[in-house]
Amino acid sequence: MLVTPAHATLVKIGALGIAGALTLGLLSGCSSSSSGESSDSAEPSGTLNVLVASADASDTAFKQLNKDFEAKYPDVTVEFSSVPNNNFNAARSSRLTAGNLDITLASPTEVPSFVKGAVATDDNTAADAGLFTDLSNEEFLKNFTPSVLDSLKYNGKSYTVPTGLSYYTGVFYNKDLFEKNNIEVPTTWSEFEDAAAKLQDAGVAPLGIGGKDGWPAGLTMIASVQSLYPSAEDKQTLSKDLWAQDASLSQGKQLEVLKRVQSLYDISQKNFAGVAYTAIPAAFANGEVAMTVDGTWDQTTIDQAVAKKFDYGYFPLPASDDASDNTTLGGKVELRMALPTSSKNKTAAMAYLDFFSTPTEYKKFIATTGFAPAEPNIPSSEFLKSINQYTETFSPAWDQVWTPNSKAGQAAAFPFNYPAVSPLGTSSADEAAKESQSAWTAGG
């Protein structure tokens, strides 16, 4: 799976990445007890250790949350740590083993019945081993939208508290550049290609990609899958057919996914494979690129970079030539907080989750992160209101549906082999697709 930013559950694609640092040996060093109730009724005090995967907007939101929490509970000191997505699993594993972690991120996920022999994810293994507290009976969960909580249950239990929702199969675009070049928001792939050609003729790079970090380039793949397989059922059928070896990654619409990726790479800024993800908002704000495929989690960062120099918007990447396929944004539940059973300060940890869940504090958190609300009756930002037409029906993005096969090899991890496509890699779309199909077949 991919790992994406703030959460990094784009599997953030990762993430875009395949999970993997916790081991059973490490897990065995932790407590396996579990409870759905607060440990006691004492007033919170002492040190509260919080570890999350880093992203600018969510880090800022957590720091404000911590400040507010300490103001309400002056006897508590929050020790907050955020680490890069790529280092998160290892850091969490180490701290779980040491027993000095009270709040962290986790995402245990149900595995479809047709998935055979898949290695359990780190978070599933941890939940099975009793490393996360069962929060099912906690009163504060009633603040959240029931359907969201239901989508997060693992073996019928709620182990995590959602921080919000994000969508990441869309394109931020510079409205001024579009108007200047007589471009309407494209609703089909052909229209998108025409728009890109006009921008190139005007000397503007149509698309910005932070390829240096790997996973941002994978957003082009996830966005392409969203349009070519627009409904949750479409994606689930594709996943099932791939696992049953009834579909080939090198033929049909599966091949078209990587062909779209190749086309998007071709219209991106020069040397994008060496450009950092964090450099894209500035390039967009400076008019160096007219569009960028990115998640709504980055909207607040982009907004600060643009600083009202021009108007911008967001639309689904129209990878299909059927406009009706391009009307829904794919998304995910963002960062999910969990309480380790090995926590040495469960009283403060439960109070922290309760405090976060109060509508007043939660509203502040999502305003900073740019997440769509996971609680009802919480007003969305003006930006999120502007994309309501694309989010009325929630559609899970591909990395939320796909379950990787650890035996299949890296070329079939996603399983669309976007890292191999030139210039991120060295292969054409056809070659990369054949590599992924070969790896997938070999994985059984």
Side-chain angles (χ1 to χ4, degrees), residues 251-282:
Q251 297 177 1
K253 280 200 295 185
Q254 295 80 249
L255 174 59
E256 287 303 309
V257 171
L258 285 191
K259 285 189 174 293
R260 295 292 190 261
V261 168
Q262 186 170 53
S263 295
L264 293 167
Y265 287 0
D266 289 344
I267 63 170
S268 295
Q269 81 273 35
K270 291 182 179 179
N271 304 315
F272 79 83
V275 176
Y277 175 69
T278 54
I280 297 299

Side-chain angles (χ1 to χ4, degrees), residues 164-224:
L165 309 174
S166 283
Y167 303 94
Y168 46 102
T169 63
V171 180
F172 285 98
Y173 74 104
N174 183 322
K175 290 186 177 181
D176 288 6
L177 282 176
F178 269 46
E179 182 177 356
K180 182 179 179 180
N181 291 283
N182 299 312
I183 299 172
E184 298 289 335
V185 171
T187 60
T188 66
W189 180 250
S190 296
E191 291 176 1
F192 184 84
E193 289 185 309
D194 290 343
K198 287 182 180 180
L199 291 165
Q200 287 177 317
D201 289 344
V204 178
L207 196 65
I209 298 177
K212 183 178 181 180
D213 297 291
W215 68 262
L219 295 177
T220 63
M221 176 271 289
I222 291 182
S224 297

Side-chain angles (χ1 to χ4, degrees), residues 220-257:
T220 63
M221 176 271 289
I222 291 182
S224 297
V225 174
Q226 180 64 28
S227 287
L228 295 172
Y229 301 87
S231 71
E233 292 75 16
D234 291 334
K235 298 182 192 72
Q236 289 162 357
T237 297
L238 172 61
S239 180
K240 185 175 182 179
D241 287 347
L242 287 170
W243 273 93
Q245 301 286 351
D246 289 336
S248 171
L249 291 164
S250 59
Q251 297 177 1
K253 280 200 295 185
Q254 295 80 249
L255 174 59
E256 287 303 309
V257 171

